[in-house]
Amino acid sequence: MDIRSKDAYVRDISALTIDDAEEAGGKGANMGELVAAGLPVPPGFVLLRDCYRDSMSAGGVAADLSALHREALDTGSDTGRLNQLCEQMQSLVQKAGVDDAVRDLVLGAYRELAAAAGGEVVVAVRSSATGEDGADASFAGMNATITNVAGEENLLEAVNRCWMSLFSPRVITYRATRGFTADPAMAVVVQQMVNSEKAGVAFTADPSTGARDRVVIEGAYGLGEVVVSGEVEPDTYIVA
């Protein structure tokens, strides 16, 4: 593959703005805005969506993924066939892996992050949906997040797992109900881990009523992923 420039594939979180949401996904772009606002954001970088696209093309699976994805969107209530198609698509993504040119850029950014941290760094590898995750739809908790990742090979494996999560039955079903028919792509956030005692999610509008005169906070002990993924029933706080 031809690398246009490093910034076309990998970018530091602090260099992103909301205008980069198409390439960095909503999660990556909004964290750039948080950095600009002076809020404490753990350092990291984002693999932009062309890392995924070019890796699938270089791996020779892009056309097959597109055809299988179109078929999966039309399976309706045939969950058996949907599961089968999702397994096929995830196997193709795993087969393609991370293209060598992308790999070099990702590992270079990871080494810079480790050097800034003073040694080996433990990271969270987080899916950041592109082109779909916005005002009318949210893929929160549907795509993969892998925490406590250390080491270069483990990082690359986690990136691939994030890409594979584009094609889970839950995600495909949601995409079909929202009328998303374009071939999906994904950016990936790589961010230094925080050993949190408690974590959670704050909603600036009440998710059950839409009321904007309150903030709803859902929290639990440990990492926030258990809240977002629905693994635990969180404590809920409503703040005026």
Side-chain angles (χ1 to χ4, degrees):
M1 65 182 271
D2 294 327
I3 291 293
R4 297 186 295 272
S5 71
K6 177 183 175 181
D7 283 349
Y9 291 92
V10 178
R11 212 171 299 169
D12 193 272
I13 288 173
S14 63
L16 295 167
T17 72
I18 198 62
D19 293 335
D20 298 307
E22 279 295 308
E23 293 79 30
K27 188 178 294 178
N30 277 298
M31 280 196 293
E33 293 286 345
L34 293 175
V35 173
L39 292 165
V41 178
F45 57 91
V46 178
L47 285 67
L48 305 182
R49 66 178 175 180
D50 278 352
C51 290
Y52 165 79
R53 287 176 168 173
D54 288 0
S55 291
M56 296 306 103
S57 294
V61 303
D64 288 341
L65 278 174
S66 181
L68 290 170
H69 180 251
R70 287 194 301 271
E71 184 178 350
L73 290 174
D74 293 331
T75 53
S77 59
D78 188 348
T79 56
R81 180 58 178 157
L82 175 61
N83 289 339
Q84 184 182 48
L85 290 167
C86 286
E87 287 179 7
Q88 288 179 257
M89 290 185 285
Q90 290 179 342
S91 293
L92 287 173
V93 175
Q94 187 174 38
K95 173 187 172 184
V98 182
D99 180 72
D100 287 345
V102 171
R103 174 191 177 104
D104 291 343
L105 292 174
V106 171
L107 294 184
Y110 179 66
R111 289 163 188 159
E112 289 179 12
L113 188 64
E120 186 175 72
V121 64
V122 179
V123 296
V125 182
R126 313 173 66 196
S127 304
S128 185
T130 65
E132 298 173 339
D133 203 2
D136 299 323
S138 174
F139 287 77
M142 294 191 191
N143 296 313
T145 287
I146 300 97
T147 54
N148 292 309
V149 176
E152 295 183 356
E153 291 306 315
N154 290 333
L155 170 62
L156 295 170
E157 180 183 344
V159 167
N160 197 244
R161 285 173 59 190
C162 282
W163 290 346
M164 290 169 64
S165 72
L166 275 172
F167 302 108
S168 72
R170 181 185 179 194
V171 170
I172 295 290
T173 299
Y174 184 69
R175 198 176 288 134
T177 63
R178 305 301 299 187
F180 296 138
T181 59
D183 292 339
M186 181 180 286
V188 177
V189 177
V190 177
Q191 197 170 18
Q192 187 170 338
M193 282 291 302
V194 172
N195 292 320
S196 58
E197 293 182 8
K198 311 175 191 72
V201 181
F203 301 92
T204 54
D206 190 324
S208 60
T209 66
R212 293 181 176 273
D213 62 345
R214 67 201 64 179
V215 173
V216 178
I217 301 167
E218 294 188 340
Y221 288 102
L223 301 175
E225 179 61 16
V226 297
V227 175
V228 177
S229 64
E231 290 181 37
V232 300
E233 183 175 348
D235 295 323
T236 301
Y237 308 85
I238 300 176
V239 183

